[in-house]
Amino acid sequence: MQVNHRYQRSPVPKCEDQNFPCQNPDYSAFDRVAQLELINPPTANEIINSSSFCTLISIDDATQLGDLTYKSYLKGLRGKTGLYHLWVDYDHCDDHDAHTMLCVYVGKGLAEARVTDHIKEKWPSSELLYVTFFECSNRLAKYLEQLFLDSFAGTNEIDH
């Protein structure tokens, strides 16, 4: 007997099979500690997925439109202090039709200057850069940055 497996779908979505779920990421480790240590803490979901600043920046000169450079995309961060995340497009989940982003850096401070430094000194020009930003005091940004590192460093669990 011959069976055609061409159109059969795995009962486990691709993202879960690869241990990188694209739906409902688990931020409980971060949220639990923040709740214990802060009064009215933001949740990881609020910081990452509900960010008022979220943009895609093309670094490659060949793909820029006229005078529209990375600096144009960062104007909304001018003079703002807080926590920023730098992301790459990690994978597309066909089962959920969703893109999963991988956080490759979390930082704090004056966001426009800090992200510009990353672009100039560290970011490969061929790689698209995604940036999210959560505005808060520098003191809170220091705390949140460390909590993200403590909660997720070395894992693929910070996704967007």
Side-chain angles (χ1 to χ4, degrees):
M1 179 177 172
Q2 192 173 19
V3 178
N4 184 351
H5 293 282
R6 183 174 172 188
Y7 295 107
Q8 288 183 344
R9 294 192 91 159
S10 169
V12 177
K14 171 185 163 187
C15 61
E16 291 176 24
D17 186 48
Q18 294 176 356
N19 199 25
F20 203 86
C22 71
Q23 304 293 304
N24 305 314
D26 182 13
Y27 301 132
S28 61
F30 178 97
D31 292 340
R32 190 172 37 256
V33 174
Q35 191 69 40
L36 288 171
E37 296 180 350
L38 297 174
I39 297 172
N40 298 320
T43 65
N45 185 63
E46 290 169 340
I47 295 168
I48 294 171
N49 298 313
S50 299
S51 170
S52 62
F53 184 91
C54 179
T55 192
L56 160 65
I57 301 173
S58 175
I59 310 302
D60 190 0
D61 290 337
T63 60
Q64 292 178 355
L65 301 172
D67 294 335
L68 194 60
T69 68
Y70 70 86
K71 293 177 184 180
S72 304
Y73 292 98
L74 298 177
K75 281 185 180 178
L77 298 178
R78 188 158 294 150
K80 294 185 178 181
T81 299
L83 186 74
Y84 62 92
H85 289 82
L86 304 182
W87 307 86
V88 293
D89 192 355
Y90 180 75
D91 200 3
H92 179 262
C93 178
D94 298 330
D95 296 307
H96 297 114
D97 193 27
H99 283 274
T100 302
M101 309 302 288
L102 178 65
C103 179
V104 294
Y105 191 86
V106 58
K108 61 170 176 350
L110 285 168
E112 181 186 29
R114 298 285 293 131
V115 173
T116 297
D117 287 346
H118 284 282
I119 291 170
K120 287 180 176 179
E121 298 172 16
K122 301 172 185 172
W123 204 262
S125 64
S126 60
E127 187 81 42
L128 291 175
L129 169 63
Y130 298 82
V131 181
T132 57
F133 173 72
F134 178 78
E135 189 170 9
C136 60
S137 70
N138 195 51
R139 181 178 299 278
L140 182 57
K142 287 179 184 181
Y143 172 85
L144 295 172
E145 175 191 38
Q146 190 60 53
L147 184 53
F148 271 106
L149 293 171
D150 292 347
S151 300
F152 301 108
T155 71
N156 286 339
E157 292 181 21
I158 303 180
D159 58 20
H160 182 59

